[in-house]
Amino acid sequence: MEEHKVVEVRNLVKNYGSKDFLTKVLKGIDLTIYEHDFIAVMGPSGSGKTTLLNILSTIDTPTQGTVMIDGRDLSRVSNQELSKLRRDKIGFVFQDYNLLDTMTLEDNIALPLSLNGASAKLCMQKTEQLALMFGLKDHLEKYPYQLSGGQKQRGATCRALITDPKIIFADEPTGALDSKSSRDLLECLKAVSEGGRATILMVTHDPFSASYAKDVYILKDGLIQCRISRGESRKEFYDRIVDVQTSMGGDFT
């Protein structure tokens, strides 16, 4: 049985500026991400990883090339169709959580589903299911200022999942977390992928975070330099990621 392609990118090019002051950020990216993959994208500053994430998540548009999300060519859909695809197929997790301070965690998680017109009963049911999965059941009535960074980020991930998206784009999701909170979140993301709930694409500078993924793509100078695939041991995978990182000049921050 053929695997379902969630993201398919061919010859992706992104330039900024005018002809005389042209900055070539992405120089011909080919990438295929399948259903229930957990992909990490790494690279030095200026390698193009954030630009790639923004284009795949429909925040930005390419200069050249094809981007397909769940079989839809983004260059051939109307703005209305694009908004619907973004609402129904895509979830976002950001480094700074983006929770609303005036709402409880329960309401923050339920908000996207509520805005889609779902019943209060369904919103509550799905919120409680996700909160249980992410260890947040006892914190639903709290406001964001009453939560730790790890609890906020797990709550933000629940919010991204509540509409049952095809793919979640996570931009440095562990960047503001301590080591224990990072591990808790990464274990949850891994469970989401392996449990068939969603495909994950994560941009990170951290090899420890990347070692929870199934495959790691290393970008440099606007091109994919290599792919590293996980074996049986996460520790061995981590060591291979660090070796590649070191060979390319060290720290990817």
Side-chain angles (χ1 to χ4, degrees):
M1 183 176 176
E2 187 178 354
E3 292 181 279
H4 178 68
K5 297 174 183 177
V6 177
V7 174
E8 189 173 9
V9 176
R10 292 291 174 265
N11 191 34
L12 182 63
V13 173
K14 181 63 179 181
N15 302 327
Y16 291 103
S18 60
K19 184 177 180 181
D20 294 331
F21 300 96
L22 197 65
T23 300
K24 298 180 179 181
V25 181
L26 299 178
K27 302 174 183 177
I29 300 288
D30 291 323
L31 178 63
T32 302
I33 302 172
Y34 294 95
E35 199 164 30
H36 309 147
D37 272 353
F38 184 176
I39 302 299
V41 177
M42 301 183 71
S45 178
S47 61
K49 56 187 185 295
T50 298
T51 300
L52 176 63
L53 180 76
N54 287 343
I55 291 174
L56 298 187
S57 62
T58 74
I59 293 171
D60 201 354
T61 55
T63 302
Q64 179 183 318
T66 303
V67 179
M68 308 273 287
I69 301 289
D70 198 31
R72 304 292 302 278
D73 184 343
L74 298 189
S75 67
R76 298 178 180 273
V77 300
S78 66
N79 288 336
Q80 184 177 0
E81 289 173 314
L82 188 61
S83 296
K84 187 175 186 302
L85 185 144
R86 191 182 293 125
R87 183 192 72 198
D88 296 341
K89 305 289 187 181
I90 295 174
F92 296 93
V93 179
F94 302 99
Q95 181 175 330
D96 56 0
Y97 324 126
N98 285 6
L99 298 177
L100 299 175
D101 292 333
T102 56
M103 299 175 69
T104 64
L105 180 61
E106 180 177 32
D107 289 339
N108 266 286
I109 293 171
L111 183 61
L113 198 59
S114 177
L115 292 174
N116 282 359
S119 68
K121 182 179 179 181
L122 180 60
C123 289
M124 187 177 299
Q125 182 184 48
K126 294 194 72 172
T127 298
E128 289 180 352
Q129 288 173 350
L130 287 167
L132 184 64
M133 178 182 175
F134 280 76
L136 295 169
K137 192 172 185 298
D138 296 332
H139 302 285
L140 287 175
E141 298 306 315
K142 294 180 180 178
Y143 288 84
Y145 73 89
Q146 297 173 303
L147 302 169
S148 69
Q151 289 164 345
K152 290 178 188 177
Q153 194 61 297
R154 281 180 278 138
T157 306
C158 290
R159 180 185 57 190
L161 280 166
I162 199 163
T163 57
D164 296 319
K166 281 284 185 181
I167 187 166
I168 288 180
F169 293 102
D171 188 5
E172 299 281 5
T174 63
L177 303 182
D178 60 42
S179 57
K180 182 183 183 305
S181 296
S182 294
R183 283 194 301 271
D184 290 344
L185 176 67
L186 291 162
E187 289 288 357
C188 288
L189 290 176
K190 188 167 175 278
V192 164
S193 169
E194 292 180 349
R197 295 192 70 102
T199 298
I200 311 285
L201 188 145
M202 173 177 69
V203 165
T204 182
H205 69 274
D206 177 28
F208 177 79
S209 298
S211 70
Y212 279 81
K214 177 183 173 186
D215 294 291
V216 176
Y217 288 86
I218 308 290
L219 263 64
K220 186 177 182 181
D221 299 329
L223 293 167
I224 294 175
Q225 298 295 324
C226 67
R227 183 182 80 178
I228 314 168
S229 296
R230 186 175 66 201
E232 292 298 320
S233 164
R234 192 177 63 77
K235 173 65 168 64
E236 182 266 342
F237 190 30
Y238 168 81
D239 289 340
R240 284 193 288 133
I241 296 167
V242 171
D243 286 345
V244 172
Q245 188 179 33
T246 302
S247 72
M248 295 178 67
D251 196 0
F252 281 177
T253 53

